[in-house]
Amino acid sequence: TTDQSAAVYVATVAGVFKKKAGETVWNPLPFQEADKGPAYVVTTDRQGVVWIGNWKGIFKFQNNSLRQVAGTSGPISVICASAEGVYAIGPGGCWLNTADQFIKKEYDIARSVRGAVSDDNGGLWITSDVGLYHATKNKTTHFYKTTILLSAALKGLAFNNKRNLWITGLGGVSVINNGKQQTVITPAQGCPSIYANCVKQSPDGLMWIGTKAGVIRFYPAGNNTLLFSRAWLWVHRGMDIHFCTDDTAR
């Protein structure tokens, strides 16, 4: 992820590292000795604050100050920024940050959460090893059938400009809208591998997909371009796309 100064952050098994704009050196964030260890996710919220999920919980990095925010339990592997606040998700459940503390949401979801995006209506779309969930205030709906998804083993997800939800996982990419399949992208449709790990929309509306065989970008017209760079990626502010070749980085 990036912050408002265009510095880039990456989460790794050795912690979280920051690279300032125009520099080439990655520097570790100043975790206390008791908090050091594997980090699973780092993201920026809608106010530009950097949030980090690691083995111990969730941390907030703002104005060069790093501190843990109370309320969650166990490791945090997914963080989702939304209009209503920041969600932190891990094997122990899902929490929403309000008034600088995290309150648990009673969502009936799997422990193996891999990704989440806001539905912009107070709910979340969540991927896991056992399917897709739509968690709202009133109910949680579980999608797993092959009439909707290529498989239930899912990874990343992102909306495109038409509010279609692109979901990566085993088999390729499933594109759905309102819980119904619109199309799929498998090797037959240009996906370079059946192992699709992540998806992001760039500022110019292109959909970028990271796979085990390279990164591919899909244009609104349906054509695509394959770039032979491995697996993970993130989107920089502006028009730049940054790639990460370490499978442990998010």
Side-chain angles (χ1 to χ4, degrees):
T1 190
T2 61
D3 64 18
Q4 293 174 327
S5 68
V8 181
Y9 299 77
V10 60
T12 76
V13 294
V16 178
F17 294 82
K18 175 182 177 181
K19 181 173 72 69
K20 294 182 179 179
E23 297 185 359
T24 58
V25 176
W26 291 90
N27 293 303
L29 291 193
F31 282 90
Q32 298 293 324
E33 193 65 34
D35 300 330
K36 290 181 178 180
Y40 309 113
V41 60
V42 56
T43 193
T44 309
D45 68 19
R46 300 186 182 191
Q47 287 72 47
V49 178
V50 176
W51 295 86
I52 298 154
N54 77 355
W55 66 276
K56 192 174 184 180
I58 188 163
F59 292 76
K60 184 177 184 180
F61 185 65
Q62 187 177 25
N63 299 325
N64 291 318
S65 176
L66 179 67
R67 65 180 179 87
Q68 186 174 6
V69 182
T72 66
S73 63
I76 296 298
S77 56
V78 173
I79 300 173
C80 177
S82 69
E84 61 269 19
V86 173
Y87 290 91
I89 313 173
C94 176
W95 295 263
L96 175 63
N97 181 59
T98 56
D100 209 32
Q101 64 176 333
F102 281 88
I103 305 299
K104 191 167 187 179
K105 307 291 288 186
E106 297 303 324
Y107 293 152
D108 184 16
I109 58 176
R111 292 174 56 86
S112 58
V113 171
R114 302 303 176 202
V117 295
S118 170
D119 66 4
D120 289 331
N121 194 33
L124 290 178
W125 288 96
I126 299 168
T127 53
S128 76
D129 288 351
V130 293
L132 175 72
Y133 294 87
H134 187 206
T136 69
K137 179 180 179 180
N138 298 320
K139 66 176 182 178
T140 299
T141 305
H142 184 199
F143 301 92
Y144 57 90
K145 294 182 178 180
T146 54
T147 53
I148 301 171
L149 303 163
L150 285 170
S151 76
L154 307 178
K155 297 288 189 179
L157 70 172
F159 283 105
N160 69 0
N161 287 337
K162 295 182 179 179
R163 296 299 294 175
N164 288 328
L165 188 59
W166 290 47
I167 306 161
T168 55
L170 181 62
V173 182
S174 304
V175 182
I176 72 170
N177 193 301
N178 292 323
K180 297 181 179 180
Q181 187 182 95
Q182 303 299 302
T183 188
V184 296
I185 303 173
T186 68
Q189 289 81 35
C191 191
S193 171
I194 63 169
Y195 301 104
N197 295 324
C198 52
V199 56
K200 292 288 185 181
Q201 183 186 50
S202 60
D204 54 357
L206 304 185
M207 300 302 291
W208 293 75
I209 299 165
T211 79
K212 285 192 174 181
V215 175
I216 189 167
R217 57 187 173 190
F218 282 86
Y219 297 85
N223 53 319
N224 61 75
T225 304
L226 177 64
L227 306 175
F228 289 97
S229 176
R230 289 191 59 207
W232 296 100
L233 66 96
W234 65 90
V235 179
H236 191 283
R237 289 185 186 275
M239 302 301 290
D240 298 327
I241 301 292
H242 292 255
F243 302 94
C244 183
T245 57
D246 182 351
D247 287 345
T248 65
R250 294 289 299 274

